[in-house]
Amino acid sequence: MAKRPTRVTNKKMVNLALQGGGAHGAFTWGVLDRLLEDGRLGFEGISGTSAGAMNAVALADGWYGNGADGAREKLETFWRAISREGSFSITNAQQEVLDRFMSFWLWPGMLGKETMAKLFPMAPWFNPAGTAQLTSPYETNPLNINPLKDVVEKLIDFERVARCQDFKLFIAATRVHSGKIRLFRRADVTADAVLASACLPYAFQAVEVDGEPHWDGGYTGNPALFPFFTETECEDIVLIQINPIERAETPKTSREILERISEITFNSSLLREFRAIDFVNRLIEDGRLEGGDYRRNRVHRIDASDELAALGAGSKFNTSWAFFTRLRDVGREAASAFLKAHYDDVGKRGTLDLREAFS
């Protein structure tokens, strides 16, 4: 086994928060690739949900093997594998399910009957009258086909993830029965935990972990920030955000309405955490909170809202390698812009106006 890389301690330490967002998770890959290449930021904790969870475990696996270079290599290998041109050969039925995951919030009927019939020829999405109808994966995918399972299990060495102690890992999923969040920490992160975090209920049957069913973590933590408050010492959080919080226009078509509903749903937990951080920060500033139980948190954000929004909802179906590398390049550019503008702020002041974000 290769010699473990020695952790560099003179870096500015941050906690990374990785949102889920289907195929647009390739943007996060690009951000991570640039941050790892730059090397001036170290990671104390990484929280990831859905596609963000996959990026997180790929990073941890590669990092354990060969530090930043290994993490960058593993991230590229992972995204190439799940592309249509990837090395993992999958059937048409598997590709259908993978497309549904990558769509993230494209609900059946949003693309029209003919398009949906072409994309999902095996699924009875429409009733005889032609009205869009959401059906259960227990009906449309009774064999519980999940091509992500094959890719995650073959590409990610979870024993290495568990041994990677250079940063803490938090993967979020939603408990189906209670509707509460479940966090999987580094030692408990398995392929099933990652698949649970990415289990969109209209695409996959619930993933059971320890006999309990789970759905996508985006419903309760996209991503979860609260473990950083008590389980890490670092006060800087860098959020890599894929899903826009605000849109300037009122959605009017069924496609636009459903897309916006999904965006709001998957951002709601994040906005609640923004509000909590801002509330505690203000209490500390006003001298109304003292002692070691509470601390300020400085929040930063790397996003490309305009570029990702311009791609349209349909782009989340795009699993081509060319599209993934395009998003990677956008992510690298966004990370470079952040480092240029705000590297000096890390450790001193937050650069995201939390109150403006949630108000």
Side-chain angles (χ1 to χ4, degrees), residues 85-211:
E85 298 85 358
S87 58
F88 284 84
S89 177
I90 61 177
T91 66
N92 289 337
Q94 287 177 315
Q95 186 65 58
E96 173 188 327
V97 177
L98 182 59
D99 284 341
R100 291 170 68 188
F101 166 73
M102 286 302 174
S103 73
F104 185 54
W105 53 61
L106 270 177
W107 292 61
M110 290 173 63
L111 298 182
K113 184 175 180 179
E114 292 183 1
T115 303
M116 291 302 298
K118 182 183 295 184
L119 288 169
F120 306 123
M122 298 173 59
W125 293 109
F126 299 92
N127 63 24
T131 304
Q133 179 182 358
L134 179 64
T135 57
S136 164
Y138 293 87
E139 299 171 349
T140 60
N141 186 15
L143 299 179
N144 202 19
I145 297 170
N146 190 340
L148 291 171
K149 182 178 178 66
D150 293 338
V151 175
V152 169
E153 288 181 342
K154 291 177 181 178
L155 280 185
I156 305 300
D157 185 335
F158 285 93
E159 291 186 2
R160 298 204 311 186
V161 171
R163 291 195 296 266
C164 183
Q165 299 184 19
D166 288 343
F167 43 79
K168 296 181 179 179
L169 195 61
F170 309 99
I171 302 300
T174 300
R175 300 177 187 267
V176 174
H177 292 167
S178 68
K180 298 178 181 179
I181 191 170
R182 177 172 180 179
L183 279 183
F184 297 94
R185 291 164 176 82
R186 184 183 60 239
D188 300 320
V189 174
T190 62
D192 282 342
V194 173
L195 294 171
S197 181
C199 181
L200 291 172
Y202 60 84
F204 303 123
Q205 297 180 23
V207 176
E208 289 199 2
V209 182
D210 301 326

Side-chain angles (χ1 to χ4, degrees), residues 4 112 124:
R4 290 294 327 287

Side-chain angles (χ1 to χ4, degrees), residues 17-34:
L18 314 182
Q19 269 200 332
H24 288 184
F27 168 82
T28 300
W29 162 34
V31 173
L32 295 173
D33 186 69
R34 182 67 184 93

Side-chain angles (χ1 to χ4, degrees), residues 46 55-65 71 74 160-161 164 167 169:
I46 302 177
N55 277 317
V57 296
L59 189 157
D61 180 11
W63 180 275
Y64 184 86
K74 179 63 73 170
R160 298 204 311 186
V161 171
C164 183
F167 43 79
L169 195 61

Side-chain angles (χ1 to χ4, degrees), residues 161-337:
V161 171
R163 291 195 296 266
C164 183
Q165 299 184 19
D166 288 343
F167 43 79
K168 296 181 179 179
L169 195 61
F170 309 99
I171 302 300
T174 300
R175 300 177 187 267
V176 174
H177 292 167
S178 68
K180 298 178 181 179
I181 191 170
R182 177 172 180 179
L183 279 183
F184 297 94
R185 291 164 176 82
R186 184 183 60 239
D188 300 320
V189 174
T190 62
D192 282 342
V194 173
L195 294 171
S197 181
C199 181
L200 291 172
Y202 60 84
F204 303 123
Q205 297 180 23
V207 176
E208 289 199 2
V209 182
D210 301 326
E212 182 180 5
H214 296 80
W215 281 338
D216 197 291
Y219 296 109
T220 49
N222 192 26
L225 305 184
F226 66 86
F228 296 147
F229 308 158
T230 57
E231 300 186 43
T232 70
E233 297 180 2
C234 178
E235 298 180 358
D236 286 84
I237 299 172
V238 176
L239 168 68
I240 303 178
Q241 186 167 347
I242 298 175
N243 310 313
I245 291 178
E246 294 188 10
R247 287 193 181 271
E249 299 180 356
T250 302
K252 296 180 181 179
T253 67
S254 60
R255 168 179 171 172
E256 293 169 344
I257 291 169
L258 287 172
E259 178 182 359
R260 188 60 185 144
I261 288 172
S262 294
E263 286 178 339
I264 292 171
T265 300
F266 278 82
N267 279 327
S268 61
S269 60
L270 178 64
L271 293 179
R272 286 194 298 270
E273 296 208 75
F274 280 176
R275 185 182 296 273
I277 294 171
D278 180 69
F279 180 66
V280 171
N281 286 351
R282 284 187 288 122
L283 290 178
I284 293 174
E285 290 173 1
D286 296 341
R288 290 185 284 170
L289 275 182
E290 297 180 358
D293 292 336
Y294 299 93
R295 70 171 191 231
R296 290 183 53 85
N297 282 276
R298 298 178 289 269
V299 183
H300 315 269
R301 178 169 62 192
I302 302 177
D303 69 345
S305 299
D306 294 340
E307 290 88 342
L308 294 179
L311 293 173
S315 68
K316 297 181 184 67
F317 272 113
N318 193 340
T319 57
S320 72
W321 178 241
F323 182 64
F324 285 169
T325 54
R326 175 186 173 189
L327 289 180
R328 177 205 59 194
D329 293 344
V330 172
R332 284 180 53 85
E333 291 172 5
S336 292

